[in-house]
Amino acid sequence: MSEETYVYLCNKLRPAMERQDTPFRECIPLKKRVAIALWKLATGSEYRSIGHIFGVSNTTVCRCVQDFCAAAETLLVPELIRSPDREQFAEMAAYTENRWGLPQCVGAIDGSHIPILAPQEYYCDYFNRKGWHSIILQGVVDGKGHFWNVFAGMPGSLHDARVLRLSSLWELASRGNYFPPCTRDIGGVNAGYYILGDNAYPLQNWLIKTFPDNGQLTAEHVIYNKRICRAR
């Protein structure tokens, strides 16, 4: 991380993370609290190891991480991860078409499993197909890899399609209230904006995936699948 980015984070999170000295003890400086949280999130090291590096207790490391995540959710997410407006959708579609030759495509969707300690209640719900406990992060990114929609917290045992159907993206896009009404004739089809997904997701007019390989794909299907997979 560059120093510029680090200072930017500190300034943005200052209202929520900065602490004041008391008559009994001096507080840990803001920059150190942010650094502790970033180190944990970047490396996944144990609290004890991080506490040894920074000269603080395990409890302090835990509090710094929790405070940082809460502050980021409150102050950073609404500013940095939000639904694009009409102009931004047009820019994303133009970028993807110029780079990968897919008109009207504004991004790609996928899920990622975030490891967690098994909760005491309903722990089986969080046991994923890979053999460990997790929650699922569903993300949509543009052609540059920038997130513009996130949905997190579902138990790791859920299928990606189920997670999508539980998200606000599905509710709004299915009603036609998410993507702006900007259509274009593509091979005789009046196509609007769409995102790319793998075969785990249901085919929609706003979510496109590859043809299933059943051994009977035509040459056109094969070319289509290659272009979709390359861009996704």
Side-chain angles (χ1 to χ4, degrees):
M1 177 180 292
S2 68
E3 181 180 1
E4 181 182 3
T5 301
Y6 174 64
V7 172
Y8 168 84
L9 281 176
C10 292
N11 290 335
K12 282 290 185 179
L13 301 178
R14 185 181 302 277
M17 287 196 67
E18 191 169 45
R19 300 292 183 266
Q20 300 295 326
D21 294 338
T22 70
F24 303 99
R25 67 173 62 180
E26 294 183 355
C27 68
I28 298 176
L30 171 66
K31 288 187 175 181
K32 187 171 182 177
R33 302 188 79 232
V34 172
I36 290 172
L38 290 175
W39 191 280
K40 171 61 178 177
L41 296 173
T43 66
S45 300
E46 295 180 346
Y47 289 149
R48 181 182 294 106
S49 300
I50 300 174
H52 179 72
I53 292 173
F54 287 91
V56 297
S57 67
N58 297 350
T59 302
T60 297
V61 175
C62 181
R63 287 175 178 171
C64 289
V65 174
Q66 292 178 342
D67 290 347
F68 179 91
C69 292
E73 182 180 8
T74 302
L75 301 175
L76 295 180
V77 170
E79 177 181 337
L80 300 177
I81 304 178
R82 59 178 183 269
S83 299
D85 56 26
R86 180 185 294 268
E87 181 179 346
Q88 290 171 325
F89 270 123
E91 292 176 356
M92 291 191 297
Y95 180 87
T96 304
E97 182 173 8
N98 291 335
R99 186 166 183 181
W100 287 291
L102 294 179
Q104 296 292 86
C105 178
V106 293
I109 185 173
D110 207 349
S112 178
H113 287 269
I114 310 300
I116 63 169
L117 297 176
Q120 294 183 351
E121 295 184 351
Y122 309 111
Y123 60 91
C124 290
D125 293 344
Y126 294 86
F127 194 74
N128 62 42
R129 66 182 185 277
K130 301 180 181 180
W132 36 278
H133 294 88
S134 66
I135 59 173
I136 299 175
L137 164 69
Q138 174 185 279
V140 185
V141 300
D142 62 15
K144 299 179 181 179
H146 296 159
F147 284 87
W148 54 263
N149 184 277
V150 293
F151 177 63
M154 292 293 102
S157 64
L158 293 185
H159 191 273
D160 285 346
R162 177 60 176 162
V163 176
L164 172 61
R165 287 189 170 94
L166 291 172
S167 68
S168 60
L169 173 64
W170 173 270
E171 180 182 357
L172 295 174
S174 298
R175 294 204 308 255
N177 296 332
Y178 198 90
F179 300 100
C182 180
T183 59
R184 177 175 167 184
D185 184 270
I186 303 175
V189 177
N190 196 29
Y193 291 135
Y194 61 89
I195 58 179
L196 304 177
D198 60 24
N199 287 326
Y201 293 102
L203 182 66
Q204 303 289 310
N205 61 357
W206 51 269
L207 198 162
I208 292 179
K209 60 182 184 177
T210 58
F211 287 99
D213 189 358
N214 55 9
Q216 299 180 347
L217 296 180
T218 65
E220 289 81 2
H221 290 164
V222 172
I223 294 174
Y224 169 88
N225 283 357
K226 287 182 178 179
R227 291 189 176 183
I228 293 296
C229 289
R230 182 181 62 177
R232 189 178 67 83

